[in-house]
Amino acid sequence: MKHKVSNPNKGLMWGVMAMAVIVLAVVVVFWFWCFPDGMHARQVPQARYGFCLSAGFQGDSLQLMVNDSVVYSGRPESDSLEVTVSLPEGENLLMVASPEEDRVSSFSLPREGGRIILQKHEGEVEMYSF
């Protein structure tokens, strides 16, 4: 008579396979929990701003900053210069800095974007939005 001897490797293989199934199930549960709509990236509405520098900026050192990001830095060579920027819709702040004169002007930008005209009159920067 032959007696069957239990194979300890067989039990170990079943344990590893069960652990792999449990780990896979946990990964799938966390996947559905973190990404309920799948992998679609959420679209953030963008506001497009067109900054037009008109009279008064020619030859001056100038920096345009929107929300702590430098958009333009340099010396405008002509009387008009156009800079276009796309930003997430919401509260945006424009800062116009003139480093040589040690002056900074700040303006709150419209939420929906638009065309912004900046003029310098007697050292003061004025903003008009359309």
Side-chain angles (χ1 to χ4, degrees), residues 14 61 72 80:
W14 280 107
S61 177
Y72 174 80
S80 73

Side-chain angles (χ1 to χ4, degrees), residues 39-59:
M39 282 297 293
H40 302 294
R42 296 184 182 180
Q43 296 293 330
V44 176
Q46 295 285 317
R48 189 172 188 92
Y49 296 99
F51 299 109
C52 182
L53 302 176
S54 62
F57 292 104
Q58 184 178 2

